[in-house]
Amino acid sequence: MHHQRHLFQLPDDVHYLNGAYMSPLMKSVEEAGIEGMQRKRNPSGIAPADFFEDSVTVRSCFAQIVKCRPEQIAIIPSVSYGLASAMRNLPVDIGQTAIVVGDEFPSDYYAVEAWCKDNDKRIQIVKAPEVTQQRGERWNQAILESINVDTAVLVLSSIHWTDGTIFDLRAIGQRCREVNARFIVDGTQSVGVMPIDVGAYNIDVLICAGYKWLLGPYSIGVAYYGGFFNEGSPIEEAWVNRSNARDFSALTLYTNEYTPGAGRYNAGEYGNFILVPMLAASLKQILEWDIVNINAYCRSLTQPLAAWLVGNGYTVEDDQARSPHIIGVGMPAALDMDKVVRQLQERKIYVSRRGKAIRVSAHVYNSQKDTDALVDALSALRKSL
Ligand SMILES: Cc1ncc(COP(=O)(O)O)c(C=O)c1O
């Protein structure tokens, strides 16, 4: 795969290495949004089926990406919303402990904290080991060792959002299954770039925001709910989620039946005429590129970058535990972070600052020109010490 910058509209002199914060929009996705907005100029052209059809595309594309049936996918406005549906339907009569990792993304942490408080459960935080060698491997080991018959649920980001550390979802899911704990994964920072298989990894719920590695707009996401949740109770009673919703002439023939699978967990008004076609367009493009190729392309940019960083006084996670698209870069102790940020800004290099580290993230809109610009900047900073 070659870079795909021509499909985006990033200015030539911008080195945007910050997809983990928010992806740029493809031209095709922007056009789908504009078209969606324009449709409402004259609503006479909007038919009842239009409330549903693009969502069917989103569900079916996302189902292909995570390897499940489209009925098990719901459309949600945010990760916190998707998590709230999952947490309210957890059994409370199995384990007494809920596990999260250290410095987990706040939407995940707060959901677990609230569930524990409401149900008189204990939260257990598995922190990153304070080592530089084999840090990812040891962290995964500590997570596996923390799961036991007292575990009710483990809520985990598929990779760590601050530095891209890979969690071994297959092994963790297997362990959860052995002790009958539910396994909830926030896939926001990896789904779309790294392969995932909800069945093979025993994932009960997988939740993804759409605006990062799914290349969609803000305020729409997608979630997989496994069969365990099919009879659960949704947060709200949206008419669009009832089995008779497509027949607009008979909506007051009230029914207790929801649309099958995870249909009950769609947010009210989920068929957003602007956001849904945009996400449908980006997911179609991701499938066309193929995640295997996206993954390999990202790694072809980050691998040489990581090698340079290690050889020049910066620290990064070991190869096997580092995701292909996100690198946490530890700065030499003597480097002033404000100076780092200023230098990068001056050169129009966009990354995220995370304490004494920067988070660099790459996708198909990046090319070696961007990673070379970062190397030049970090090289100059080193020399200035
Ligand atoms: C791992 C992870 N989950 C979720 C989100 C977004 O959460 P929400 O949709 O609740 O705002 C982010 C945003 O940075 C993230 O990094």
Side-chain angles (χ1 to χ4, degrees):
M1 186 175 191
H2 202 252
H3 76 74
Q4 302 289 314
R5 201 170 174 100
H6 55 286
L7 301 180
F8 294 80
Q9 301 192 73
L10 284 166
D12 274 350
D13 61 343
V14 164
H15 303 291
Y16 190 76
L17 291 163
N18 209 7
Y21 163 69
M22 173 181 291
S23 77
L25 275 188
M26 273 179 280
K27 293 175 199 164
S28 58
V29 176
E30 187 176 314
E31 278 157 18
I34 292 169
E35 220 173 90
M37 189 162 53
Q38 287 173 341
R39 282 179 90 181
K40 203 166 177 288
R41 281 180 183 166
N42 174 8
S44 63
I46 300 178
D50 296 331
F51 284 70
F52 304 96
E53 288 315 319
D54 285 327
S55 324
V56 171
T57 308
V58 166
R59 279 213 204 90
S60 112
C61 289
F62 189 68
Q64 282 180 63
I65 292 174
V66 304
K67 302 191 171 48
C68 69
R69 287 185 299 117
E71 301 80 62
Q72 297 306 134
I73 305 297
I75 296 180
I76 53 173
S78 64
V79 168
S80 52
Y81 185 97
L83 270 167
S85 295
M87 300 309 284
R88 66 188 270 119
N89 288 294
L90 287 179
V92 290
D93 56 351
I94 42 172
Q96 294 304 308
T97 305
I99 301 175
V100 291
V101 293
D103 295 326
E104 182 52 280
F105 190 76
S107 288
D108 302 293
Y109 177 80
Y110 292 136
V112 175
E113 185 188 48
W115 184 78
C116 287
K117 194 159 166 252
D118 292 348
N119 296 286
D120 208 14
K121 305 285 183 190
R122 191 173 71 85
I123 189 163
Q124 183 178 352
I125 302 173
V126 184
K127 292 193 175 148
E130 287 183 15
V131 293
T132 47
Q133 299 295 307
Q134 296 173 310
R135 176 177 165 277
E137 198 183 319
R138 292 191 198 178
W139 200 355
N140 272 284
Q141 198 51 39
I143 296 167
L144 285 171
E145 283 165 12
S146 71
I147 305 166
N148 57 42
V149 287
D150 193 43
T151 308
V153 62
L154 190 148
V155 176
L156 177 72
S157 284
S158 47
I159 62 173
H160 203 276
W161 68 290
T162 59
D163 59 15
T165 305
I166 293 180
F167 295 119
D168 185 348
L169 302 181
R170 187 186 289 273
I172 295 168
Q174 169 69 28
R175 183 73 191 122
C176 285
R177 183 54 52 103
E178 282 163 14
V179 299
N180 195 27
R182 297 274 89 80
F183 185 29
I184 299 179
V185 176
D186 174 351
T188 301
Q189 291 289 10
S190 81
V191 176
V193 177
M194 293 171 68
I196 195 158
D197 183 327
V198 288
Y201 299 177
N202 286 310
I203 294 172
D204 290 297
V205 178
L206 173 71
I207 302 169
C208 293
Y211 68 99
K212 297 177 191 276
W213 305 102
L214 297 179
L215 306 179
Y218 194 65
S219 300
I220 184 168
V222 249
Y224 158 84
Y225 295 90
F228 177 86
F229 292 83
N230 279 2
E231 302 304 319
S233 87
I235 296 171
E236 52 181 340
E237 300 298 345
W239 65 270
V240 276
N241 291 338
R242 296 294 168 120
S243 60
N244 64 354
R246 281 174 178 253
D247 183 359
F248 281 24
S249 65
L251 292 177
T252 53
L253 295 177
Y254 303 125
T255 172
N256 291 327
E257 248 179 51
Y258 293 98
T259 48
R264 67 191 63 199
Y265 301 121
N266 290 308
E269 294 192 19
Y270 72 89
N272 185 304
F273 296 105
I274 302 166
L275 302 182
V276 175
M278 292 174 83
L279 188 56
S282 67
L283 294 180
K284 278 196 253 177
Q285 179 64 76
I286 287 170
L287 284 169
E288 200 177 298
W289 284 325
D290 197 322
I291 284 169
V292 173
N293 296 326
I294 298 172
N295 191 304
Y297 179 77
C298 292
R299 201 167 281 286
S300 77
L301 291 181
T302 57
Q303 190 86 10
L305 175 62
W308 183 88
L309 289 164
V310 171
N312 287 275
Y314 294 91
T315 56
V316 299
E317 184 59 80
D318 296 336
D319 275 5
Q320 329 75 271
R322 196 184 61 240
S323 64
H325 57 306
I326 301 181
I327 314 186
V329 184
M331 296 288 136
L335 257 188
D336 170 19
M337 281 308 285
D338 289 335
K339 190 172 165 193
V340 173
V341 170
R342 252 193 337 270
Q343 267 279 346
L344 297 181
Q345 257 169 9
E346 273 166 23
R347 294 169 186 241
K348 297 198 180 174
I349 299 169
Y350 295 88
V351 298
S352 288
R353 179 179 174 174
R354 294 279 172 263
K356 193 72 190 143
I358 56 171
R359 182 184 64 186
V360 178
S361 44
H363 203 263
V364 300
Y365 41 80
N366 294 119
S367 69
Q368 203 189 323
K369 226 170 109 184
D370 300 316
T371 48
D372 284 351
L374 180 64
V375 164
D376 282 351
L378 294 180
S379 183
L381 281 160
R382 270 294 277 169
K383 284 184 193 137
S384 71
L385 284 178

